[in-house]
Amino acid sequence: MDMDSASSVVLQALTQATSQDTAVLKPAEEQLRQWETQPGFYSVLLNIFNNHMLDVNVRWLAVLYFKNGIDRYWRRVAPHALSEEEKTSLRAGLITNFNEPVNQIATQIAVLIAKVARLDCPRQWPELIPILLESVKGQDGLQQHRALLTFYHVTKTLASKRLAQDRRLFQDLASGIYSFACSLWSHHTDCFLQQIYARDEAAALSSLERTLLSLKVLRKLTVHGFQEPQQNMEVMGFLNAVFERLKQFLECCRQVGSDSTCREKLEKTIILYTKVLLDFLEYHPCAFIPLIQRSLEFAVTYVFTPAGEGVTFERFIVQCMNLIKMIVKNDAYKPAKNIDDSKPESLEAHKIKTAFFTHPTLTEIGRRLVSHYFLLTEEELAMWEEDPESFAVEETGGDSWKYSLRPCTEVLFLDIFHNYSQTLTPVLLDMVQNLQGPTNVEDSVQLLMKDAVYNAVGLAAYELFDNVDFDQWFKNQLLGELQVSHHRYKLIRRRVIWLIGQWISVKFKSDLRPLLYEVILSLMQDPDLVVRIETATTLKLTVDDFEFRTEQFLPYLESIFGLLFQLLQQVTECDTKMQVLHVISCVIERVGIQIRPYVGCLVQYLPLLWKQSEEHNMLRCAILTTLIQLVQGLGAESKNLYPFLLPVIQLSTDVSQPPHVYLLEDGLELWLVTLENSPAITPELLRIFQNMSALLELSSENLRTCFHIVNGYIYLSATEFLQNYAESLCRSFCDLLKDITNEGRVQVLKVVEIALKVSPMLGAHMFQPLLPAVFRGIVDGERYPVVMSTYLGIMGRVLLQNFSFFSSLLSQMASEYNQEMDQLLGNVIEMWVDRMDNITQPERRKLSSLALLSLLPSDNSVIQDKFCGIVNICVEALHDVMTEDPETGTFKDCMLMSHFEEPKLSDDEEPPTEQDKRKKLLALEDPVHSVSLQQFVYEKLKAQQALMGDQGFGALMETVDTELVRQLQEFLQGL
């Protein structure tokens, strides 16, 4: 690309690419894309974004194209890689001057320099760091800032490299520039403090920006630049200085007030200081030991004493609490159970912690956490009134302890309570004792305090197990609190029902459950929405508990389920609807078929909710989960849901539809349970199988469920299903078997095995393309035992139940192996006998015996030659399946099934699905369960004897081991 002529056309294309008119924009983007691989293109881009006279948007786009080009074409091995000559020129051009006037473009240039540095520094770009350091020392304010910005991004990028060689290079760099970085940070910090005290906010803001950047550099160097940082006096000196600087900056917060232009950046810098300590503690816990005492003193002083009043802010408090938490929890600071096995550093750290966390200190921390930080704030109370659903959802939020004050305080409380429960348990119990009895509804302070204390008791439930008689407290105190109906007392009603939910799996007597259900029934009708939502959550925890008894809950099921449904209709937020749906799903799952009389309204409402939630895939996931439980609860009656259910499955499992990304897993599960509970196939249910071939192509973690679905269709209606889909299924399976794990192979083969079991003739015909591979696997001695076992199971079905097909397959394979049919049959029998131990399931072992016995009687010399092996397999199988009647002393086949009986179920047992019933009926026709192996052996041996005569048969029996003959005679006694 000729530079002079190219500059104008590239500039024109970039200008057009910033257009809002797609007719202009699209051709320009295409032209730029074509130039990406042209030599000289990136040199032109460099000249364009370095030209400050050009339009900002054009220059911005030039930087982005350059940055993307580094990712794609900078590496030597990349297709269309840049030449070394051009890269040398570009590296020089990038660091010629640091005077970019536009902040956003300056940041992007710094990032792209860092990207090049990651690949080339220091080997191909040794001059980068010296030039940056020289520019940072300069007097020009803009140049100094831009160089410092670039220095930070380069340091950050190099610090992120994880290969051992790269880490050593970064450590070399860190040791060489650490002193300079410290002095730079110290200089800018001093300038800022002088300017802020002089009330020169404009100059202070500029210095603060440089302080922030130099501190960011130091953070990366300190945390990632030293293998043993405790050995470096400068590193430890800097870390100790952090505490003093933090105090100075916190005082600045007090001085500048909340409206100052500096305030936001000041808070950002304070947080960065805390990040230095937290990162260093995370990566170098042993090196942090000398800082434990000072860190705890600092954090506890600002968070738990009046010293922090007026200067702290929420994010800083969170960071301090995280610092305390990480020190308390750190495994490196805990001695081993056997004290002699402990490392000296662990003992030293433990000693420091023990000396710091005295009884008075722990008592003050515990009390202040509960009585100050656990109190609901004015903002939270306002949210409760104005937006109760958001309040309820936020209160049950996820893993947000690192970023939000309330979850952070609760996690810190739990960690400290767990580690110092002996000291803190009496403190908390004393706080509970002081709040006994109903609280005056006019006393908002006491109401808030009781809410906070009960919150603490709920969080520490497991720790308080031996110290709180929760059953007595529930009956004597909490029950009374729940009956106070005043609207201000909703605070306590909501907290008490939450508290019960926390204790339900810890200590709550089973015989108190009915009383609790009465309470839940009452509170589900509470005028306050937050109380109702919290009650629903406690209900879920109650029915989820392992001590849940369905019979205790049944008297309340209709009323509670009706109120849950009302709540689902009343709430409007997506997250709250999901929460309530999860409760409903849980209830349906636990009560099973008992739910059938009460689901009418829910069944009518779910289609409307599904339609309304078109833009909310996570809510649709919750609906799918509810439908799964609903179908299982309704059993065969779920067919009435098909007009809604089947389109939902169709959409959720269609990989051409965008929502499948969210809905697929639950959609497949719903599809499977629908099949399992279907009383009969319908055209619509058959039609949605069209989605399956694309799903099998995905080869995702859902493959196993897909195979179960295929099996479900075979059990449901083998003839219709296989006639419609066997051909496409065979193609999918053949593709899968080319590149699949052994476990995956077994899943594919099990489908074939089930098809043969359900319909021996049709199954063999429809899956004919797969059977030669099974035959080869047996003849060639498949090494993986589970696969071999499945091969033999398939071939056993074909041989026993479709001999004509077996003969034609044998003929086909004999031609392939260039052997006589008899010779190949002998090889198969020999391998079958040899690998019988691979078969572990008694059903398959009996099947193998029946299959090989089906070759008798025979005058074929090959079969007679293998007679000993066949008898051997039969005796082994007889040992597997025959049980002795202790009264008569005779043997009987334990696998025989004569008729179908509905099983008698206990209260905790699930009734059989329609598919379970189909499997049972199928088993009645299966030779494995309908033919007595003992009788079959006897008849086949008799037939062989009749064919050969006594003398010939006697000679044949002499080929069998005498001990085997004795065992065989014992089994056949009385026949």
Side-chain angles (χ1 to χ4, degrees), residues 818-940:
N818 200 22
Q819 291 181 11
E820 292 294 323
M821 283 175 63
D822 285 352
Q823 184 189 353
L824 186 58
L825 177 60
N827 294 343
V828 169
I829 296 170
E830 192 171 322
M831 187 59 74
W832 207 318
V833 172
D834 184 53
R835 300 296 290 275
M836 186 68 176
D837 286 345
N838 287 168
I839 306 176
T840 54
Q841 302 95 325
E843 291 86 354
R844 274 201 194 140
R845 291 174 70 82
K846 179 177 176 180
L847 176 66
S848 286
S849 306
L850 294 172
L852 291 174
L853 278 168
S854 71
L855 294 167
L856 303 178
S858 175
D859 56 3
N860 185 314
S861 60
V862 170
I863 293 174
Q864 289 184 9
D865 187 47
K866 305 300 178 188
F867 180 78
C868 173
I870 294 172
V871 171
N872 190 4
I873 281 182
C874 292
V875 173
E876 280 189 31
L878 284 165
H879 277 292
D880 291 329
V881 305
M882 301 301 287
T883 55
E884 188 176 4
D885 188 329
E887 292 180 11
T888 62
T890 57
F891 288 95
K892 62 177 181 178
D893 189 332
C894 67
M895 286 193 183
L896 288 181
M897 292 170 60
S898 56
H899 61 283
F900 179 65
E901 285 184 3
E902 282 280 0
K904 292 176 182 176
L905 303 172
S906 68
D907 291 337
D908 294 333
E909 285 183 303
E910 290 292 319
T913 64
E914 295 301 302
Q915 182 162 299
D916 292 332
K917 295 174 188 176
R918 287 191 280 272
K919 286 181 177 179
K920 281 280 173 68
L921 289 170
L922 180 64
L924 293 176
E925 301 171 12
D926 185 349
V928 172
H929 298 291
S930 61
V931 174
S932 163
L933 180 60
Q934 179 189 34
Q935 189 71 36
F936 198 65
V937 171
Y938 177 75
E939 289 171 1
K940 288 294 182 179

Side-chain angles (χ1 to χ4, degrees), residues 171-190:
Q171 286 164 8
D172 292 342
L173 169 69
S175 60
I177 64 172
Y178 198 79
S179 294
F180 172 76
C182 279
S183 61
L184 191 69
W185 159 74
S186 189
H187 166 71
H188 288 307
T189 305
D190 288 339

Side-chain angles (χ1 to χ4, degrees), residues 92-383:
L94 284 170
I95 53 174
T96 303
N97 49 53
F98 297 97
N99 58 355
E100 172 55 55
V102 181
N103 284 333
Q104 293 92 330
I105 294 177
T107 301
Q108 290 302 319
I109 292 172
V111 169
L112 71 84
I113 290 172
K115 281 178 174 287
V116 176
R118 184 179 182 87
L119 300 170
D120 289 358
C121 184
R123 290 188 179 85
Q124 285 82 37
W125 208 3
E127 66 274 20
L128 172 63
I129 300 298
I131 286 175
L132 284 174
L133 297 183
E134 199 57 42
S135 301
V136 165
K137 294 174 188 173
Q139 296 304 306
D140 182 283
L142 180 66
Q143 185 179 24
Q144 186 189 67
H145 178 272
R146 298 315 191 218
L148 190 52
L149 179 68
T150 307
F151 186 32
Y152 160 61
H153 280 285
V154 168
T155 309
K156 177 185 175 183
T157 301
L158 295 179
S160 69
K161 297 178 81 173
R162 286 289 166 262
L163 292 176
Q165 188 179 9
D166 293 326
R167 289 170 73 174
R168 280 195 297 274
L169 284 171
F170 186 70
Q171 286 164 8
D172 292 342
L173 169 69
S175 60
I177 64 172
Y178 198 79
S179 294
F180 172 76
C182 279
S183 61
L184 191 69
W185 159 74
S186 189
H187 166 71
H188 288 307
T189 305
D190 288 339
C191 287
F192 163 72
L193 291 171
Q194 287 166 13
Q195 289 155 351
I196 204 73
Y197 289 137
R199 302 197 179 279
D200 184 352
E201 284 214 4
L205 193 58
S206 176
S207 293
L208 185 55
E209 173 67 27
R210 287 159 175 73
T211 301
L212 192 60
L213 285 171
S214 54
L215 183 57
K216 285 180 175 181
V217 171
L218 261 182
R219 177 189 173 198
K220 295 299 177 186
L221 294 176
T222 303
V223 174
H224 301 289
F226 300 90
Q227 204 161 3
E228 294 184 340
Q230 67 271 33
Q231 306 292 335
N232 189 301
M233 288 177 63
E234 278 187 303
V235 171
M236 299 312 288
F238 162 68
L239 290 166
N240 275 295
V242 163
F243 297 102
E244 288 307 315
R245 293 303 195 186
L246 268 170
K247 288 176 185 175
Q248 292 170 335
F249 275 69
L250 285 164
E251 278 306 311
C252 289
C253 279
R254 192 201 303 273
Q255 184 176 330
V256 301
S258 57
D259 300 328
S260 165
T261 52
C262 281
R263 179 72 189 212
E264 186 184 342
K265 195 139 278 180
L266 195 53
E267 289 188 3
K268 211 172 179 179
T269 310
I270 289 167
I271 294 305
L272 187 59
Y273 275 118
T274 62
K275 283 181 178 178
V276 171
L277 295 172
L278 286 164
D279 285 0
F280 193 75
L281 171 54
E282 182 182 349
Y283 285 94
H284 305 285
C286 291
F288 194 87
I289 290 172
L291 303 167
I292 291 176
Q293 177 77 20
R294 203 162 180 193
S295 298
L296 290 172
E297 285 174 353
F298 175 84
V300 170
T301 299
Y302 277 99
V303 176
F304 296 111
T305 73
E309 291 172 11
V311 295
T312 57
F313 49 96
E314 184 172 306
R315 186 76 196 280
F316 171 72
I317 294 169
V318 167
Q319 292 291 90
C320 286
M321 286 186 174
N322 286 338
L323 188 59
I324 298 168
K325 183 189 82 72
M326 284 178 70
I327 291 170
V328 168
K329 274 189 78 173
N330 205 303
D331 289 335
Y333 301 161
K334 293 176 182 175
K337 285 185 180 177
N338 181 358
I339 207 79
D340 295 334
D341 297 335
S342 303
K343 294 179 180 177
E345 313 91 79
S346 300
L347 292 173
E348 184 187 350
H350 182 67
K351 184 179 175 184
I352 296 168
K353 284 189 343 186
T354 305
F356 178 82
F357 286 115
T358 59
H359 190 284
T361 301
L362 284 168
T363 301
E364 184 56 33
I365 290 173
R367 283 190 178 279
R368 194 151 169 85
L369 272 172
V370 176
S371 63
H372 180 73
Y373 290 107
F374 276 20
L375 295 179
L376 287 171
T377 63
E378 287 181 16
E379 291 83 1
E380 287 169 323
L381 292 169
M383 184 191 273

